[in-house]
């Protein structure tokens, strides 16, 4: 059966577009609806209660759009709200943390894995828990609060970014990591700047790749794949639509034609 219903994808802003990029590469026939919660950006410093409210509103909105599956394209929500929201979700729902952890343990040679993520994700420890559940690994984590505002502003290089990269990642290199998980979906957009600091001996893991592989398996198991040659994407935000459009267009090579603003209250 050919199921043309869209996939729902959400994040605080443009970060989840790294997951959209992987979707376009791996499952180009799937339609998708993307929600950027720009009114509440950044998520990294929000309380659990706030994050639960946002997740509930967004999932409800996506379900109203008749999505067939939901990808939580956000490390923070995948860590904090997903374990609860998946209990009552009527369609398959998945996040990025499990795929990131699996990719990291495949990549490491010395068993020392670094995680960079939002403060909320680091405090929650979800990446660490997933990784140590997979075997005997040492995990070192660092929160990078200055990265998300830079990505949202479309800044992917320059002195300000280099200073932040050095500050956040030096302590992890000192621990001898050979693998670094980009544990917030905004961070793969900074991969070039991060890689030029860490050097080729550290493997960077973008959880988006494994996330979409996992999504493909879920669509297969549930017999809800779309076999079309080319899908459509629709983009919604809760706050600033202009900056989303500008940064998003840079990130997705101008594929965003229109961004619609949605208010939940
Ligand atoms: N991109 C999100 C994440 O993966 C949220 C970042 C933020 O808004 O602080 O955690």
């Amino acid at each position: 059966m050919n199921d043309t219903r869209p996939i729902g994808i959400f994040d605080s802003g443009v970060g989840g577009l790294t997951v959209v990029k992987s979707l376009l590469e791996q499952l180009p026939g799937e339609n998708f609806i993307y929600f950027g919660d720009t009114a509440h950006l950044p998520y990294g410093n929000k309380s659990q209660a706030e994050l639960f409210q946002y997740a509930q509103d967004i999932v409800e909105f996506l379900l109203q759009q008749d999505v067939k599956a939901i990808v939580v394209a956000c490390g923070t929500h995948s860590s904090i709200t997903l374990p609860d929201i998946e209990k009552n979700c009527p369609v398959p729902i998945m996040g990025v943390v499990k795929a990131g952890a699996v990719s990291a343990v495949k990549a490491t040679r010395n068993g020392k894995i670094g995680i960079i993520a939002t403060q909320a994700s680091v405090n929650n420890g979800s990446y660490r828990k997933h990784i140590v559940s997979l075997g005997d690994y040492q995990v070192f984590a660092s929160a990078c609060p200055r990265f998300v505002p830079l990505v949202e502003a479309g800044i992917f290089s320059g002195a300000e970014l280099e200073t932040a990269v050095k500050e956040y990642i030096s302590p992890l290199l000192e621990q001898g990591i050979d693998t670094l998980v980009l544990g917030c979906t905004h961070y793969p957009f900074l991969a070039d700047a991060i890689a030029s600091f860490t050097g080729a001996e550290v493997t960077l893991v973008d959880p988006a790749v494994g996330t979409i592989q996992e999504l493909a398996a879920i669509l297969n198991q549930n017999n809800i794949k779309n076999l079309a040659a080319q899908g459509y994407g629709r983009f919604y935000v809760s706050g600033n639509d202009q900056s989303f459009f500008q940064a998003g267009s840079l990130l997705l090579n101008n594929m965003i034609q229109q961004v619609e603003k949605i208010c939940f209250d």
Side-chain angles (χ1 to χ4, degrees):
M1 192 190 114
N2 198 37
D3 192 333
T4 59
R5 288 177 300 161
I7 314 271
I9 304 177
F10 73 92
D11 180 42
S12 60
V14 295
L17 298 180
T18 56
V19 177
V20 168
K21 252 184 146 178
S22 268
L23 180 83
L24 294 172
E25 281 160 18
Q26 295 184 54
L27 300 172
E30 294 295 339
N31 300 316
F32 68 88
I33 292 187
Y34 186 89
F35 190 88
D37 194 9
T38 52
H40 301 125
L41 186 92
Y43 277 161
N45 58 10
K46 297 295 183 297
S47 70
Q48 296 212 1
E50 287 170 314
L51 290 167
F52 274 109
Q53 187 59 56
Y54 307 154
Q56 206 176 313
D57 288 342
I58 298 167
V59 167
E60 204 177 297
F61 167 75
L62 292 173
L63 291 171
Q64 281 163 5
Q65 312 307 307
D66 196 26
V67 296
K68 62 181 174 183
I70 296 176
V71 180
V72 181
C74 171
T76 309
H77 271 301
S78 300
S79 299
I80 293 161
T81 61
L82 179 61
D84 271 304
I85 56 177
E86 70 185 355
K87 288 182 195 149
N88 298 313
C89 191
V91 298
I93 183 164
M94 50 172 294
V96 292
V97 172
K98 191 172 130 205
V102 169
S103 303
V105 305
K106 277 190 196 148
T108 187
R109 289 145 288 142
N110 70 3
K112 294 185 181 183
I113 298 171
I115 309 289
I116 49 172
T118 63
Q119 189 67 60
S121 297
V122 169
N123 292 351
N124 174 273
S126 59
Y127 270 106
R128 177 189 301 279
K129 280 177 228 151
H130 270 86
I131 290 171
V132 299
S133 76
L134 297 169
D136 190 14
Y137 301 101
Q138 279 181 280
V139 181
F140 306 93
S142 177
C144 310
R146 299 209 297 280
F147 282 176
V148 167
L150 289 171
V151 173
E152 289 290 330
I155 298 169
F156 310 125
S157 61
E160 195 184 350
L161 176 60
E162 281 165 28
T163 306
V165 166
K166 190 171 172 206
E167 178 186 321
Y168 296 142
I169 298 175
S170 297
L172 303 179
L173 295 182
E174 281 161 21
Q175 300 294 335
I177 60 158
D178 72 352
T179 300
L180 180 62
V181 181
L182 307 178
C184 163
T185 50
H186 281 75
Y187 300 175
F189 288 121
L190 306 176
D192 287 347
I194 294 169
S196 53
F197 181 70
T198 59
E201 56 285 356
V202 175
T203 305
L204 300 188
V205 171
D206 176 359
V209 180
T211 299
I212 297 301
Q213 285 165 357
E214 197 185 325
L215 173 68
I218 289 173
L219 298 180
N220 249 329
Q221 280 154 20
N222 290 277
N223 200 19
I224 52 173
K225 278 194 300 190
N226 188 346
L227 304 170
Q230 176 79 59
Y232 66 74
R234 294 203 183 116
F235 298 88
Y236 297 87
V237 292
S238 55
N240 192 333
D241 47 350
Q242 277 314 307
S243 63
F244 180 89
F245 181 79
Q246 275 156 16
S249 296
L250 273 178
L251 302 170
L252 283 190
N253 296 329
N254 296 321
M255 100 160 268
I256 304 178
Q257 271 149 24
Q258 205 189 327
V259 181
E260 201 173 317
K261 198 167 162 179
I262 300 284
C263 270
F264 294 131
D265 20 60

